[in-house]
């Protein structure tokens, strides 16, 4: 019995003078790996227009069915994004999301990106549904120029050719 007690005290005294490995979480945030998938963000172009064109490919690729996209038509006086449509409603149910990254891979305009933010907590189930306003980055944080194919979509198409039969 005394031998076991001395063995335990030796282990305890061995760790007294070593540095603790505890991370003081709220003050010190632990760095994440480069390929970590965290909270989603909807990106913008440098001119402030949204990258999302409302194609719903991210919702189709999601195996957990966590994404809801309701597209709307762009009008000449209300251009939200390049192209014909934009996402009027974009919601992600974070309780259903498995952070697989399929939505990020399916997006043709790189609008949805899984960033490195890992602080996700909710007090209510309704708070776990992230809306477009919560996901969209500010206008001054946009980056990149639109691809030429999206810039050409703003022009009005020429009338169809007349075919005489």
């Amino acid at each position: 019995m005394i031998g076991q007690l001395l063995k335990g005290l030796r282990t305890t005294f061995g760790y007294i003078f070593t540095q603790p490995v505890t991370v003081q979480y709220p003050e010190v945030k632990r760095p994440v790996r480069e390929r970590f998938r965290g909270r989603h963000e909807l990106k913008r172009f440098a001119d402030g227009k949204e990258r999302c064109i409302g194609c719903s490919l991210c919702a189709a690729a999601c195996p957990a069915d966590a994404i809801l996209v309701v597209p709307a038509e762009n009008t000449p006086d209300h251009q939200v994004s390049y192209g014909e449509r934009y996402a009027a409603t974009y919601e992600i149910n974070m309780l259903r999301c498995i952070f697989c990254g399929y939505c990020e891979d399916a997006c043709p305009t790189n609008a949805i990106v899984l960033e490195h933010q890992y602080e996700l907590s909710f007090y209510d189930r309704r708070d776990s549904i992230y809306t477009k306003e919560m996901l969209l980055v500010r206008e001054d944080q946009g980056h990149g120029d639109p691809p030429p194919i999206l810039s050409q979509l703003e022009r009005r198409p020429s009338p169809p050719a007349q075919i005489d039969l």
Side-chain angles (χ1 to χ4, degrees), residues 12-39:
T12 303
F13 286 127
Y15 282 102
I16 283 180
F17 300 108
T18 61
Q19 290 288 347
V21 294
T22 305
V23 176
Q24 301 299 323
Y25 167 63
E27 294 84 23
V28 178
K29 294 198 166 94
R30 213 173 146 195
V32 295
R33 304 279 184 215
E34 182 182 332
R35 294 178 59 182
F36 177 78
R37 296 185 196 117
R39 184 182 181 275

Side-chain angles (χ1 to χ4, degrees), residues 5 12 14 28 40 48 52 69-70 83 86 92 112 132-133 135 144 157:
L5 178 65
T12 303
V28 178
H40 300 72
C52 183
V69 179
V70 177
Y86 70 98
I92 298 179
I112 187 79
K132 181 179 174 180
E133 290 76 26
L135 296 170

Side-chain angles (χ1 to χ4, degrees), residues 80-91:
V80 178
S81 69
Y82 290 99
E84 299 172 0
R85 299 186 305 178
Y86 70 98
T89 303
Y90 196 102
E91 293 179 352

Side-chain angles (χ1 to χ4, degrees), residues 32-160:
V32 295
R33 304 279 184 215
E34 182 182 332
R35 294 178 59 182
F36 177 78
R37 296 185 196 117
R39 184 182 181 275
H40 300 72
E41 275 190 357
L42 279 173
K43 300 293 185 180
R44 292 181 185 263
F45 287 115
D47 60 358
K49 288 189 180 178
E50 298 174 9
R51 285 183 178 259
C52 183
I53 55 173
C55 64
S56 300
L57 287 176
C58 55
C62 182
D65 198 26
I67 301 175
L68 169 72
V69 179
V70 177
E73 298 290 327
N74 274 326
T75 59
D77 57 328
H78 186 252
Q79 280 293 112
V80 178
S81 69
Y82 290 99
E84 299 172 0
R85 299 186 305 178
Y86 70 98
T89 303
Y90 196 102
E91 293 179 352
I92 298 179
N93 188 344
M94 298 305 278
L95 291 177
R96 297 188 81 179
C97 181
I98 58 175
F99 300 96
C100 62
Y102 288 169
C103 57
E104 187 176 19
D105 293 337
C107 185
T109 60
N110 295 329
I112 187 79
V113 177
L114 278 74
E115 291 293 337
H116 293 169
Q117 185 180 0
Y118 56 85
E119 297 171 325
L120 304 171
S121 61
F122 321 107
Y123 290 113
D124 191 12
R125 290 181 71 86
R126 281 173 257 146
D127 295 339
S128 69
I129 298 175
Y130 282 23
T131 61
K132 181 179 174 180
E133 290 76 26
M134 296 166 70
L135 296 170
L136 198 60
V137 297
R138 294 191 322 248
E139 288 188 26
D140 59 342
Q141 291 181 339
H143 65 281
D145 294 326
I149 187 73
L150 287 178
S151 300
Q152 292 171 2
L153 290 176
E154 277 189 7
R155 291 184 285 163
R156 305 304 294 167
S158 59

